[in-house]
């Protein structure tokens, strides 16, 4: 059976204004369904039939949106905040009505990949501690990062609250030389998302993260064509990758 919805609800969700504004559009004859002027903004229509037009333009109805944002520093990963700018303020008006939220948090000073969506189920799966979604970060660290740190992270680092992290993979790009003022450059892949995890892992070795950028989450990699503050929708393949990854993970758990 075809699933139908109220015309005004669909158009409101597609960004055409409030229900009363849509009623006015319908009254003015701007909305057609199947080529005929819509009679009533409360009429039932099939959103998948592709038959609704506003001012002669076909309307694409969709429920979920998935955006990859290159988060710049200085923004908090929240939908609202009294003090700071939020990552939602970087998103254009066209997406406002979708009520997007960030999937997980990056610290205010952290940059890089942040997924925004209104798909609660996908977000829940990606954030679930049971799924162990890998997240890879590029970090610059004040101090010398050595094989001993790699080994310690592989075994699990003990954080300041006593928690021992799951094994994490540390790839040392440059060891760093504090005496010469050269920060270490590393990539770290973690499989959980404790508060300030990367910074606290390095803290456990007596070193300080001075720059942090997320490169990937699950199968999703930050598109290096996106400048800080820019975003784009995920491709079908990227979305499939995240979904497929999760089916595999849940089969195992
Ligand atoms: N780990 C951190 O310490 N900060 C982040 O923003 C993300 C991971």
């Amino acid at each position: 059976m075809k699933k139908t919805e109220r015309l005004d609800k669909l158009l409101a969700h597609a960004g055409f204004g409030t229900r009363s504004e849509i009623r006015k559009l319908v009254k003015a004859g701007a909305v057609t369904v199947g080529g005929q002027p819509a009679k009533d903004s409360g009429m039932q229509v099939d959103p998948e039939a592709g038959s609704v037009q506003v001012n002669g333009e076909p309307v694409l109805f969709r429920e979920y949106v998935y955006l990859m944002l290159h988060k710049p520093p200085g923004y908090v990963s929240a939908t609202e905040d009294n003090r700071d700018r939020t990552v939602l303020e970087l998103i254009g008006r066209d997406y406002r009505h979708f009520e997007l939220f960030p999937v997980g948090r990056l610290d205010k000073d952290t940059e890089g990949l942040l997924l925004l969506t209104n798909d609660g189920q996908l977000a829940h799966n990606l954030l679930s501690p049971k799924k162990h979604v890998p997240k890879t970060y590029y970090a610059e660290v004040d101090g010398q990062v050595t094989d001993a740190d790699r080994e310690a992270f592989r075994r699990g680092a003990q954080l300041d609250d006593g928690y021992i992290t799951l094994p994490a993979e540390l790839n040392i790009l440059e060891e760093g030389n504090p005496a010469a003022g050269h920060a270490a450059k590393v990539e770290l892949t973690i499989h959980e998302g404790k508060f300030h995890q990367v910074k606290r892992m390095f803290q456990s070795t007596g070193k300080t993260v001075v720059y942090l950028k997320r490169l990937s989450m699950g199968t999703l990699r930050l598109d290096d064509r996106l400048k800080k503050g820019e975003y784009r929708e995920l491709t079908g393949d990227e979305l499939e990758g995240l979904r497929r990854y999760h089916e595999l993970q849940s089969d195992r758990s």
Side-chain angles (χ1 to χ4, degrees):
M1 212 173 71
K2 276 187 193 153
K3 195 169 163 264
T4 60
E5 296 266 16
R6 279 180 66 108
L7 178 63
D8 53 4
K9 185 174 163 206
L10 287 170
L11 287 175
H13 205 210
F16 286 93
T18 61
R19 288 201 186 188
S20 73
E21 285 164 344
I22 289 160
R23 201 176 311 124
K24 283 186 199 142
L25 276 178
V26 167
K27 271 208 175 132
V31 183
T32 59
V33 178
Q36 302 300 315
K39 289 191 204 74
D40 166 15
S41 63
M43 72 186 281
Q44 292 285 320
V45 294
D46 173 5
E48 277 160 27
S51 61
V52 178
Q53 299 194 343
V54 175
N55 293 323
E57 294 288 333
V59 182
L60 193 66
F61 296 116
R62 56 185 178 157
E63 194 170 2
Y64 297 125
V65 166
Y66 307 86
L67 298 181
M68 171 193 293
L69 169 70
H70 185 165
K71 180 190 173 296
Y75 288 79
V76 292
S77 304
T79 50
E80 282 172 48
D81 197 273
N82 292 334
R83 244 179 351 166
D84 289 308
R85 293 174 295 180
T86 72
V87 289
L88 263 302
E89 292 172 37
L90 296 162
I91 306 303
R93 282 182 59 82
D94 292 359
Y95 289 104
R96 289 281 156 84
H97 60 281
F98 282 111
E99 298 178 353
L100 300 171
F101 54 87
V103 178
R105 280 167 190 267
L106 291 178
D107 297 337
K108 184 174 163 188
D109 60 352
T110 301
E111 304 176 8
L113 175 65
L114 189 64
L115 177 63
L116 301 170
T117 185
N118 54 352
D119 182 344
Q121 187 61 49
L122 185 91
H124 176 80
N125 282 340
L126 287 169
L127 296 174
S128 161
K130 285 196 213 129
K131 307 266 181 174
H132 301 169
V133 177
K135 284 162 283 250
T136 299
Y137 293 85
Y138 167 79
E140 294 182 0
V141 179
D142 189 9
Q144 193 177 27
V145 180
T146 65
D147 287 348
D149 297 317
R150 184 171 46 226
E151 194 45 34
F153 287 180
R154 195 186 62 75
R155 285 197 305 265
Q158 186 165 25
L159 303 184
D160 45 8
D161 58 1
Y163 177 78
I164 298 181
T165 64
L166 290 173
E169 296 89 55
L170 178 64
N171 180 14
I172 303 170
L173 306 172
E174 286 179 30
E175 274 207 346
N177 182 348
H182 295 158
K185 297 182 177 167
V186 302
E187 281 182 9
L188 178 64
T189 301
I190 59 175
H191 299 265
E192 56 204 323
K194 300 286 170 207
F195 188 57
H196 296 325
Q197 183 163 340
V198 174
K199 292 175 185 166
R200 288 163 74 209
M201 285 175 76
F202 279 100
Q203 213 174 55
S204 77
T205 70
K207 293 179 267 282
T208 308
V209 171
V210 292
Y211 174 79
L212 190 60
K213 176 180 182 181
R214 182 154 64 192
L215 304 176
S216 68
M217 182 177 194
T219 48
L220 189 64
R221 279 197 73 82
L222 178 65
D223 184 337
D224 54 19
R225 285 167 300 191
L226 289 179
K227 299 198 188 81
K228 284 179 213 175
E230 289 184 346
Y231 59 91
R232 67 158 169 81
E233 294 203 18
L234 296 197
T235 65
D237 283 351
E238 286 169 335
L239 187 54
E240 270 316 296
L242 287 181
R243 291 209 173 109
R244 197 163 336 117
Y245 178 83
H246 284 292
E247 282 154 22
L248 291 174
Q249 294 295 305
S250 24
D251 287 349
R252 259 189 248 147
S253 58

